[in-house]
Amino acid sequence: MSKVEQNIPINKGNYSMDTPEREALFEKYRGQGWEEEYKEYRANWTKYAKEKIVSDYPLLVDIELATICNLHCPMCYTITEEFACHVHRGVMDFELFKKIIDEIAGKVPAIRLSLRGEPTLNPNFIKCIHYAKQAGIKEVSSLTNGSTLTPEFMEKMMLAGLDWLTVSIDGINEEYEKVRVPLKFADTVEKLKTFKELKEKYEVHRPVIKAQGIWPSVKPHVEEYYHTLAPITDLVAFNPLIDYLDNDTDIVYDEDFGCPQLYQRLVIGEDGKVMACSNDENGRMCMGDVKTQSIHEIWHGEPLTKMREAHAKMGGFKDLELCKLCYLPRKTEDSETSSVDGREFIIRNYVGRTQEIGK
Ligand code: SF4
């Protein structure tokens, strides 16, 4: 594979607005109890991508527990016609989940139980966490819209061994309630308070809780957003709005872009089909099927190898329709800054991308 110098961004599109001290603590808690392996895992996250190393197994496997969702947010691709046409709406079967874990336990350090839908709607959500942790997966994480977080459910998640939970919180008060209909901001804050109390009661640091909001919703009240959420979470972060709805036409690219994901993670849909990456939300490019193939076979198989080869060529991502629509190769600009308590941070927005929700 060619070793041309490319720009391979790591963790693009997701930015902390937190203090260095809290960021360090978040990292520490994530790695507590498996410090050395954790350090190696994080180092390889960058190394494999930058050096284009195809490891024996991916570092992270995304296992989508549900494609269904109970909300209808205006900026989400699950509300598009294309998604409705192409993506089966359902929840992952537990036997399929077990098959995946049985193969990757001891070989893959981390799994993420979320992708396109609301994972906690899978009736086996807790059972899946428990099964994965018992099997020895070091880090089990998930993302939720927060709607299902009752005290009992949060306690079960924690006792099952969930390591990291990201909660989508798009702004405060009316900003939040405009996007996350019919959820109420005050209720979500209460839930996070309860989660913090539960962790204190059990004297544990995990799951670490990250609050994450889309920038246009956070922007009107940045300080208040941070000061409301920081005391009840471990990290507060935001992401500029991406073109989820495929509305943009004149896209400006980073011409020397190469994709990191193809060396980091494997993404399995609710139906067992493997996607090209976490941004193939309509399942346009199928890399294999875990119902009939092993993870190892798919990770080293022809479709993914071809994707890697395309990306290894300078500008090769443009040969793939999927990648031309993705936010990762898009050029960003540092035209906007914001601050909390005088701590300044840059909003790395995509060139030409409106920051208006639903557009
Ligand atoms: S769509 Fe292409 S560029 Fe974007 S994450 Fe997937 S493989 Fe990478």
Side-chain angles (χ1 to χ4, degrees):
M1 205 170 278
S2 118
K3 293 272 179 191
V4 282
E5 270 306 307
Q6 287 184 307
N7 171 24
I8 300 173
I10 310 293
N11 304 331
K12 182 172 175 176
N14 192 324
Y15 306 106
S16 160
M17 63 166 74
D18 227 311
T19 62
E21 294 75 23
R22 276 173 47 94
E23 287 169 6
L25 210 54
F26 184 82
E27 280 296 300
K28 180 180 166 191
Y29 292 158
R30 265 183 80 184
Q32 214 160 43
W34 59 302
E35 286 81 1
E36 282 315 304
E37 278 172 280
Y38 179 73
K39 229 188 275 165
E40 194 187 338
Y41 162 46
R42 296 318 301 161
N44 287 341
W45 188 256
T46 301
K47 180 183 160 90
Y48 291 172
K50 296 268 184 203
E51 296 177 22
K52 303 192 177 98
I53 296 169
V54 184
S55 50
D56 195 29
Y57 272 88
L59 291 165
L60 171 72
V61 176
D62 294 78
I63 310 172
E64 181 180 61
L65 290 191
T67 43
I68 50 171
C69 190
N70 51 353
L71 303 185
H72 202 77
C73 305
M75 72 298 180
C76 182
Y77 52 68
T78 63
I79 65 169
T80 62
E81 231 169 80
E82 192 180 359
F83 190 83
C85 283
H86 292 103
V87 181
H88 173 257
R89 307 302 289 258
V91 297
M92 183 178 276
D93 179 65
F94 187 62
E95 287 306 311
L96 181 58
F97 181 81
K98 270 170 67 179
K99 179 182 186 284
I100 298 167
I101 299 298
D102 291 347
E103 181 185 344
I104 66 175
K107 302 176 181 115
V108 169
I111 61 170
R112 185 158 298 165
L113 302 179
S114 43
L115 192 68
R116 299 172 290 189
E118 169 53 39
T120 60
L121 297 180
N122 186 315
N124 292 316
F125 183 73
I126 302 293
K127 207 163 133 189
C128 290
I129 298 170
H130 191 256
Y131 191 82
K133 289 305 293 180
Q134 291 298 309
I137 300 289
K138 295 294 184 191
E139 182 174 78
V140 178
S141 66
S142 192
L143 168 74
T144 180
N145 60 30
S147 59
T148 57
L149 298 180
T150 62
E152 299 71 37
F153 193 57
M154 290 188 273
E155 188 171 30
K156 281 185 188 159
M157 268 185 206
M158 188 185 66
L159 296 177
L162 186 70
D163 296 294
W164 172 3
L165 185 67
T166 297
V167 187
S168 299
I169 305 184
D170 299 319
I172 55 165
N173 302 324
E174 35 323 324
E175 269 92 29
Y176 177 84
E177 289 166 16
K178 248 192 293 181
V179 175
R180 298 275 160 186
V181 181
L183 306 185
K184 297 289 168 225
F185 182 67
D187 295 344
T188 302
V189 167
E190 261 328 291
K191 289 171 183 170
L192 292 176
K193 274 189 193 154
T194 305
F195 219 147
K196 185 179 161 73
E197 285 161 12
L198 274 169
K199 283 170 34 178
E200 283 165 358
K201 180 177 148 198
Y202 283 89
E203 298 181 347
V204 293
H205 293 130
R206 289 204 294 257
V208 285
I209 307 288
K210 176 176 170 184
Q212 168 97 24
I214 48 170
W215 178 246
S217 294
V218 174
K219 183 178 172 170
H221 303 99
V222 186
E223 296 265 354
E224 208 179 333
Y225 180 81
Y226 180 78
H227 288 298
T228 309
L229 296 177
I232 49 174
T233 60
D234 297 285
L235 197 72
V236 183
F238 68 96
N239 53 285
L241 194 61
I242 61 174
D243 185 22
Y244 267 143
L245 306 175
D246 286 349
N247 283 334
D248 293 358
T249 44
D250 296 323
I251 299 174
V252 183
Y253 296 106
D254 262 334
E255 296 296 329
D256 54 356
F257 169 82
C259 186
Q261 283 209 17
L262 305 168
Y263 301 91
Q264 294 167 328
R265 62 208 274 194
L266 190 80
V267 181
I268 306 169
E270 158 273 334
D271 56 359
K273 299 259 174 21
V274 174
M275 285 160 255
C277 59
S278 67
N279 296 329
D280 186 9
E281 64 271 2
N282 289 314
R284 291 181 180 107
M285 295 181 78
C286 183
M287 300 288 119
D289 187 341
V290 291
K291 283 188 178 156
T292 55
Q293 295 171 280
S294 70
I295 306 281
H296 190 269
E297 194 182 334
I298 299 168
W299 182 242
H300 295 274
E302 197 181 317
L304 259 174
T305 305
K306 281 199 169 144
M307 286 283 288
R308 293 186 187 112
E309 282 168 2
H311 274 266
K313 284 186 284 177
M314 199 57 98
F317 68 91
K318 287 193 190 161
D319 296 337
L320 301 161
E321 280 310 307
L322 174 72
C323 303
K324 275 170 36 185
L325 293 173
C326 177
Y327 70 92
L328 276 186
R330 284 183 74 153
K331 217 183 219 347
T332 56
E333 56 189 359
D334 296 352
S335 52
E336 189 181 354
T337 56
S338 187
S339 65
V340 170
D341 300 333
R343 192 177 61 254
E344 210 170 85
F345 51 89
I346 299 166
I347 320 305
R348 297 213 153 77
N349 190 12
Y350 306 96
V351 175
R353 170 93 278 265
T354 173
Q355 289 295 303
E356 211 176 315
I357 299 164
K359 293 204 173 149

